[in-house]
Amino acid sequence: MSKENPVKLQDNSQQRRILVTSALPYANGSIHIGHMLEHIQTDIWSRFQKLRGHQCIAVCADDTHGTPIMLRAQKEGISPEEFIAATQAEHVKDFEDFLVCYDNYHSTHSEENRELCELIYNRLNDAGHIARRTISQLYDPEKKMFLPDRFVKGECPKCGSEDQYGDNCDNCSATYSPTELKNPKSAVSGATPVLKDSEHFFFKLTDFEAMLKTWTRDGHVQEQIANKLDEWFDAGLQEWDISRDAPYFGFEIPGAKDKFFYVWVDAPMGYMASFKNLCDKTDGLDFDSFWNPESDTEVHHFIGKDIVYFHTLFWPAMLDGSGFRKPTKVHAHGFLTVNGTKMSKSKGTFVKARTYLDHLDPEYLRYYFMAKLNHRVDDFDLNLEDFVSRNNSDLVNKYINIGSRVAKFMSKNFDLELCDDISEHPLIKEYQDAAEPIAQFYEQKQYGRAIKEIMNLAGKANQYIDAEVPWLKIKDEETQNEVHQLCTVSLNLFKILTVYLKPAIPSIAKKVEEFLNIPPLKWSDAFSVLENHKINKFKPMLDRVDPKKLEAMIEEGKEEAEAANQPQLTDPLKDEIEFKDFDKVDLRIVKIIKAEHVEGAEKLLKLQLDLDGVVKQVFAGIKSAYSPEDLEGKLTVMVANLAPRKMRFGVSEGMVLAAGPGGKDLWILNPDEGAQPGMRVK
């Protein structure tokens, strides 16, 4: 049975109503561990609020509009709608498998978002906050299209950094117009763009300067961000170009033919749209009560520091000008680095979420992020050696070890029954006294300080077990009751630690709840004590991190980078070729005389190919579909005149042609019988 300790929580007497969002992942690529830094941080904070008994609703969506999506869909030979649907399914699965729990995951390409975009725009326009004027816009003379911001690259007009996009600088975070770039180049064709006139629509950000100066210094952003915003205020706010010319995948601006909302207009509205979608299918959940300017609800945005300008200036100004409430707080974080440097595809440290999940438990990364995250905007370094050490030392050796050390005595000696009269034990009191300080660390996003306190408590539990030497006392009938008490106290400490860690490691927490035979833990359960209570047999909860699995993950990241760098047959960003160019490709029938695994590579096979008596070596990414022994003696088709390419595993002297969606469904081209090695394929 569970007995309540008469200790009351602070800051929980009144239920808060909180809406939480993460920045919307763009729909043209896979989720990677850099994204997961933000989504895990958000999920931990959201889970904590729910654990405390507050109404906390977490929503997100895919950011789906813009020219990149349109071009990518063309490349895939499908409609933009089909492309973003497939991407969203992949994103949702990645988040689910990382235990990131959103109450609703939607899309910016939705009717809810269209309605909100038009509503907010019309209100701003009616209030005089939208201007129209003809501008000179960069135009690709070869592709005959206006160039979106991200399809122009050049030198930042503020700091001079090279290879910057046409809307903002990754180095100094400045925002600007593409026409301000120095030495611009089209990312579509490589041509030097020319200026061409076009009428555009502008949001008068300057109308809201006084409000923004007050709002950004009123606790709604971190001090580091407020200081940065002061620099932008001093430099002078600019009107914001919110329109883009056709062709464009997005929402048309009301009353303006062939003019579309810039993707950054409807992206933040996607937060509202996802929540609106949830409200429409949930009884008792009212959209207006959360977004009314007089509402006592809270809205919290978690974002990366690279999109601060949009979320702390444009977004609150648009909300204010259209009659909606502004965010309670915008929580910005820094970038993820790996081993002290920027994530690198060539080094294998630009790791996709799915690649990580194929090798490692998601709670390793969740715990590591929590152990090192704080409330500042500093970059976060994922040190791989520290990743292994901290998980093994903290989660396995300190935390889970408490339960496993005493479980054997409970099973063998005490019939899995806890004793009583332990609620006043000083360690239990000390653990319970830590509840509010740890809760405040969670609230302030000082997760690292929370973990430091939690692991300090875990260390004391292990010291307590060591000092009581139960492995000796259990041998003496006179001291067996002391062992029973120690086990009961230790398992109650284990339960309290699980309460404190549950936002970061929900799957492990569930295993602990099953072991202790208790309902899902709430924060208030730190103050209840299990006595005269039947538990279940202990089952393994988490293995130690195997460094070899980490190495395999990095190797797979390198292979994915190498595969991505292989020549593509179709690419809308490359020039069209004439038939005479294609005719240069020498396709020959070859015989596979030897096939073997490549040590350290999970997707490649090394093939020795007989090209009319000449042996060519090729590395082919077909291991998922074929075993080496299945290939030897078969005929296939190769690009015979491809320049040799030096790879990490050796030199590849050509390319084997294969087709299929991937995985096991990947087929090498197998010519009919009668074909001979060396024959040319027409």
Side-chain angles (χ1 to χ4, degrees):
M1 61 184 290
S2 177
K3 184 166 67 176
E4 288 290 332
N5 185 308
V7 178
K8 297 297 183 183
L9 283 173
Q10 304 170 26
D11 188 41
N12 204 33
S13 57
Q14 183 176 358
Q15 186 189 57
R16 294 157 61 188
R17 300 171 65 217
I18 309 168
L19 178 63
V20 180
T21 76
S22 295
L24 311 186
Y26 200 42
N28 71 336
S30 298
I31 300 297
H32 55 71
I33 58 173
H35 293 119
M36 293 313 308
L37 175 68
E38 175 176 304
H39 291 269
I40 287 173
Q41 181 190 43
T42 310
D43 187 65
I44 289 173
W45 199 81
S46 174
R47 285 179 181 271
F48 162 71
Q49 300 296 350
K50 292 177 181 179
L51 208 61
R52 292 272 274 179
H54 300 306
Q55 181 188 27
C56 184
I57 300 165
V59 300
C60 196
D62 267 7
D63 180 7
T64 60
H65 288 155
T67 302
I69 298 293
M70 180 179 67
L71 294 177
R72 181 70 183 273
Q74 289 175 5
K75 179 181 178 180
E76 301 291 336
I78 57 179
S79 69
E81 289 81 3
E82 291 174 310
F83 176 75
I84 63 176
T87 303
Q88 181 171 339
E90 177 189 324
H91 288 180
V92 168
K93 179 62 175 171
D94 286 344
F95 288 136
E96 286 178 349
D97 289 353
F98 257 107
L99 310 176
V100 172
C101 181
Y102 286 113
D103 296 287
N104 199 53
Y105 196 92
H106 204 36
S107 168
T108 59
H109 192 65
S110 66
E111 281 308 305
E112 296 92 346
N113 207 29
R114 183 192 300 275
E115 292 171 3
L116 283 164
C117 285
E118 293 180 356
L119 174 65
I120 290 175
Y121 169 80
N122 286 331
R123 287 182 178 181
L124 292 172
N125 190 38
D126 292 344
H129 298 308
I130 303 296
R132 299 187 186 190
R133 65 176 180 269
T134 299
I135 65 169
S136 294
Q137 191 179 4
L138 293 180
Y139 185 82
D140 187 324
E142 294 188 12
K143 292 297 181 181
K144 302 187 185 307
M145 62 178 288
F146 284 103
L147 292 169
D149 300 348
R150 290 264 152 173
F151 282 79
V152 185
K153 282 195 170 185
E155 299 171 14
C156 172
K158 307 293 184 182
C159 70
S161 295
E162 297 179 351
D163 201 33
Q164 297 301 316
Y165 287 112
D167 55 355
N168 70 289
C169 177
D170 289 337
N171 183 53
C172 71
S173 299
T175 60
Y176 40 74
S177 166
T179 57
E180 296 180 79
L181 276 177
K182 298 177 182 178
N183 300 317
K185 294 290 182 183
S186 167
V188 180
S189 67
T192 299
V194 298
L195 291 175
K196 188 173 181 179
D197 288 347
S198 175
E199 184 183 46
H200 272 234
F201 295 65
F202 293 83
F203 173 55
K204 297 179 181 179
L205 184 63
T206 50
D207 291 354
F208 302 90
E209 183 169 351
M211 179 276 292
L212 289 169
K213 284 183 175 179
T214 300
W215 183 81
T216 56
R217 281 295 179 184
D218 201 22
H220 300 291
V221 302
Q222 294 129 295
E223 185 177 359
Q224 289 169 282
I225 298 302
N227 292 338
K228 184 65 180 179
L229 292 173
D230 280 346
E231 295 178 19
W232 289 331
F233 287 132
D234 292 341
L237 299 181
Q238 303 295 319
E239 291 186 346
W240 182 33
D241 187 347
I242 62 169
S243 62
R244 293 297 182 267
D245 293 284
Y248 195 81
F249 180 58
F251 296 142
E252 275 197 290
I253 297 176
K257 182 176 173 54
D258 291 334
K259 300 291 181 180
F260 293 80
F261 286 119
Y262 174 41
V263 62
W264 262 111
V265 174
D266 65 70
M269 294 181 198
Y271 302 137
M272 301 174 74
S274 183
F275 182 62
K276 180 67 164 59
N277 177 259
L278 179 64
C279 290
D280 290 344
K281 56 189 180 185
T282 305
D283 291 339
L285 191 59
D286 180 54
F287 177 86
D288 292 334
S289 69
F290 275 80
W291 288 98
N292 186 299
E294 305 303 320
S295 173
D296 61 354
T297 60
E298 303 173 38
V299 174
H300 293 258
H301 298 309
F302 286 76
I303 63 166
K305 65 181 181 181
D306 55 325
I307 52 176
V308 160
Y309 200 99
F310 298 102
H311 283 80
T312 59
L313 294 179
F314 297 137
W315 179 229
M318 292 172 64
L319 290 168
D320 187 70
S322 57
F324 289 103
R325 58 88 47 79
K326 296 181 287 295
T328 306
K329 190 152 189 176
V330 176
H331 308 265
H333 60 82
F335 297 135
L336 179 70
T337 61
V338 181
N339 289 339
T341 60
K342 187 177 179 180
M343 290 193 299
S344 166
K345 291 184 178 180
S346 63
K347 294 179 181 178
T349 56
F350 194 96
V351 179
K352 293 181 181 179
R354 184 53 49 185
T355 304
Y356 174 97
L357 291 166
D358 287 342
H359 295 274
L360 296 165
D361 191 296
E363 285 177 303
Y364 294 144
L365 193 64
R366 290 180 64 97
Y367 178 78
Y368 189 77
F369 281 167
M370 179 168 172
K372 294 184 65 176
L373 274 166
N374 58 42
H375 63 298
R376 292 178 56 81
V377 196
D378 306 324
D379 289 347
F380 182 102
D381 186 49
L382 170 55
N383 181 282
L384 298 178
E385 184 177 342
D386 184 48
F387 173 84
V388 174
S389 175
R390 191 180 292 259
N391 274 287
N392 290 344
S393 173
D394 287 4
L395 277 186
V396 180
N397 293 351
K398 286 184 181 178
Y399 164 58
I400 293 176
N401 195 39
I402 297 168
S404 64
R405 291 181 76 179
V406 300
K408 58 184 178 181
F409 298 115
M410 290 299 301
S411 179
K412 183 177 180 181
N413 303 98
F414 306 117
D415 195 29
L416 298 173
E417 185 83 27
L418 299 178
C419 68
D420 57 9
D421 294 330
I422 55 92
S423 61
E424 299 301 317
H425 193 280
L427 263 181
I428 291 179
K429 291 287 190 180
E430 182 178 354
Y431 270 49
Q432 292 173 337
D433 288 343
E436 193 56 33
I438 291 172
Q440 291 308 311
F441 289 145
Y442 268 110
E443 183 68 42
Q444 299 159 10
K445 304 192 316 299
Q446 298 192 59
Y447 298 158
R449 293 185 65 180
I451 287 296
K452 184 176 180 180
E453 178 66 22
I454 293 167
M455 285 303 140
N456 179 51
L457 293 173
K460 291 183 178 181
N462 281 289
Q463 292 167 11
Y464 166 58
I465 296 171
D466 290 338
E468 291 295 317
V469 290
W471 51 90
L472 297 179
K473 288 184 176 181
I474 199 66
K475 298 177 182 178
D476 188 339
E477 286 188 12
E478 294 183 1
T479 55
Q480 284 183 358
N481 286 339
E482 295 179 27
V483 177
H484 197 188
Q485 183 185 60
L486 171 134
C487 291
T488 303
V489 170
S490 297
L491 291 178
N492 272 278
L493 299 178
F494 189 44
K495 185 202 73 168
I496 297 172
L497 290 176
T498 303
V499 171
Y500 299 157
L501 287 170
K502 187 173 180 178
I505 51 172
S507 178
I508 295 174
K510 185 176 181 180
K511 294 176 184 177
V512 174
E513 291 159 356
E514 292 171 353
F515 165 53
L516 296 179
N517 192 26
I518 56 176
L521 288 164
K522 305 180 297 293
W523 195 265
S524 59
D525 288 321
F527 298 92
S528 65
V529 180
L530 296 176
E531 296 180 327
N532 295 325
H533 174 79
K534 190 85 168 182
I535 65 172
N536 295 314
K537 286 188 177 181
F538 184 87
K539 296 179 181 179
M541 296 180 178
L542 186 72
D543 294 328
R544 293 170 60 85
V545 181
D546 184 350
K548 291 182 179 179
K549 291 185 178 180
L550 196 63
E551 293 169 5
M553 179 190 74
I554 297 299
E555 288 302 316
E556 184 170 340
K558 292 178 182 178
E559 292 173 24
E560 289 171 348
E562 289 176 354
N565 288 332
Q566 292 288 334
Q568 301 294 313
L569 294 180
T570 59
D571 187 341
L573 300 185
K574 293 182 179 179
D575 293 333
E576 293 180 351
I577 63 172
E578 303 291 338
F579 182 81
K580 62 181 181 180
D581 297 314
F582 176 74
D583 195 47
K584 295 177 183 178
V585 179
D586 188 4
L587 300 179
R588 298 293 186 98
I589 296 173
V590 292
K591 183 176 183 179
I592 304 173
I593 56 176
K594 187 176 182 181
E596 56 188 311
H597 296 289
V598 180
E599 185 176 354
E602 295 200 1
K603 296 184 178 180
L604 297 178
L605 293 178
K606 184 168 74 172
L607 308 178
Q608 301 292 332
L609 307 174
D610 177 8
L611 176 61
D612 196 21
V614 177
V615 177
K616 295 276 190 177
Q617 176 175 279
V618 170
F619 290 94
I622 57 175
K623 187 174 179 179
S624 62
Y626 295 96
S627 298
E629 57 271 18
D630 296 332
L631 292 172
E632 293 182 359
K634 286 190 175 181
L635 299 178
T636 189
V637 177
M638 75 172 290
V639 180
N641 62 337
L642 190 64
R645 178 170 178 263
K646 186 175 182 180
M647 301 177 67
R648 186 161 49 89
F649 308 104
V651 177
S652 188
E653 301 176 292
M655 179 184 292
V656 169
L657 301 190
K664 294 186 178 298
D665 295 327
L666 188 65
W667 305 285
I668 61 171
L669 302 185
N670 194 17
D672 295 334
E673 291 186 11
Q676 296 295 323
M679 291 179 61
R680 189 168 186 180
V681 179
K682 294 291 188 179

